[in-house]
Amino acid sequence: MAAYDRIRKGKPVVEADRTLSHSANFLLQLNGTKPSATAERALDIALILHADHELNASTFAARVTAATLSDMHAAITSAIGALKGPLHGGANEAVFRILATIDRDKADPVDYVRDMLAQKKKVPGFGHRVYNTEDPRATHLRAMSRDLGRSSGQPQWYEMSEKIEQFVKAEKKLNANVDFYSASTYHVLGMDEDLFTPVFAISRISGWAAHVIEQLDDNRLIRPRAEYMGPEYPNPYLVMEKR
């Protein structure tokens, strides 16, 4: 994917270096230069943190598809479709769009987010359906965002993020989730915004595959029931002329 991105931008393709790690090679082929040790470790940790996370939307979609005895490719495709959504894997793209707007307009991060809340807009990257405390993955990504920013001379992305996090936590009692600091981390690593979700998919592919295999080991069709909550029957029948 990194090589394709360079082709898309009209840049020469960089060959992999077999002496480097998977993460270092990805950044080498993406950016054209050997990454720093800090950048290499940051991507390596990010890939591990995103590898699996219980029955999230994309993993559940993969298992539902696998349960029909469709093939692995179809199950993974279902997962990717779910991951694309801005309430799932696409959330870090939405976070970075906010950061980029604040940076471009030289706006105050707290004032910008305060205005979002006043307009009843959702601030992406906060809250979680499972965690009531801080997402443990966010703990590591926060540190990576800080260290990368300092080592690369781009501390503003972390600093903006930190101010937003402190404000939202105080104002809405919401904690940052995995998506919030992955936005600034991925950007400083040299990834364009439209690569954020594909990199999430690269990370999660091992988790999806493991869940599909587990599903098929003792398979039952996943078929939840729906409970009708409409008006009680029988409803009076009206002829077409009176409807």
Side-chain angles (χ1 to χ4, degrees):
M1 187 187 74
Y4 169 77
D5 192 54
R6 292 186 67 80
I7 294 171
R8 181 171 62 85
K9 294 178 180 178
K11 296 180 180 180
V13 174
V14 178
E15 294 296 328
D17 183 342
R18 293 184 180 276
T19 66
L20 299 179
S21 68
H22 178 77
S23 297
N25 260 309
F26 183 93
L27 293 172
L28 169 67
Q29 294 185 283
L30 178 69
N31 298 316
T33 56
K34 183 178 177 180
S36 67
T38 302
E40 177 185 0
R41 177 166 171 74
L43 180 58
D44 197 46
I45 292 174
L47 293 174
I48 293 169
L49 290 175
H50 285 89
D52 187 40
H53 199 237
E54 206 190 50
L55 280 178
N56 53 80
S58 57
T59 300
F60 186 65
R63 293 193 74 135
V64 169
T65 300
T68 70
L69 296 184
S70 189
D71 56 76
M72 175 70 80
H73 293 85
I76 300 302
T77 300
S78 297
I80 291 172
L83 187 76
K84 179 184 175 183
L87 294 184
H88 190 13
N92 53 11
E93 295 180 45
V95 171
F96 186 72
R97 282 194 290 271
I98 291 173
L99 297 177
T101 301
I102 292 170
D103 184 64
R104 182 196 66 211
D105 297 345
K106 309 301 181 190
D108 180 87
V110 172
D111 288 344
Y112 186 91
V113 174
R114 183 184 285 114
D115 186 58
M116 286 183 67
L117 294 177
Q119 298 178 54
K120 306 299 183 184
K121 291 182 179 178
K122 177 181 173 64
V123 181
F126 288 91
H128 199 276
R129 289 294 300 273
V130 175
Y131 298 121
N132 294 320
T133 57
E134 179 172 288
D135 185 334
R137 299 168 299 174
T139 307
H140 298 283
L141 284 161
R142 181 190 296 106
M144 287 189 292
S145 174
R146 180 197 62 216
D147 295 345
L148 273 172
R150 291 172 179 172
S151 65
S152 66
Q154 302 180 65
Q156 70 273 25
W157 304 107
Y158 169 76
E159 290 168 359
M160 284 189 286
S161 300
E162 184 183 35
K163 289 177 182 177
I164 292 170
E165 180 191 22
Q166 290 175 352
F167 173 72
V168 172
K169 189 170 184 177
E171 190 75 11
K172 303 296 288 185
K173 304 298 185 290
L174 291 173
N175 293 294
N177 60 38
V178 70
D179 301 304
F180 186 67
Y181 279 102
S182 68
S184 52
T185 299
Y186 284 171
H187 175 73
V188 176
L189 286 173
M191 298 180 202
D192 287 343
E193 176 190 319
D194 60 357
L195 285 181
F196 288 6
T197 304
V199 170
F200 195 154
I202 290 171
S203 311
R204 187 56 60 86
I205 192 76
S206 57
W208 288 334
H211 275 273
V212 169
I213 293 168
E214 182 181 72
Q215 181 66 37
L216 295 176
D217 280 345
D218 186 22
N219 188 55
R220 270 188 88 181
L221 183 66
I222 297 174
R223 207 306 193 172
R225 296 298 309 274
E227 182 178 359
Y228 178 74
M229 301 295 289
E232 295 184 4
Y233 285 102
N235 287 333
Y237 174 77
L238 296 176
V239 296
M240 289 295 296
E241 294 77 13
K242 294 185 178 180
R243 294 183 188 179

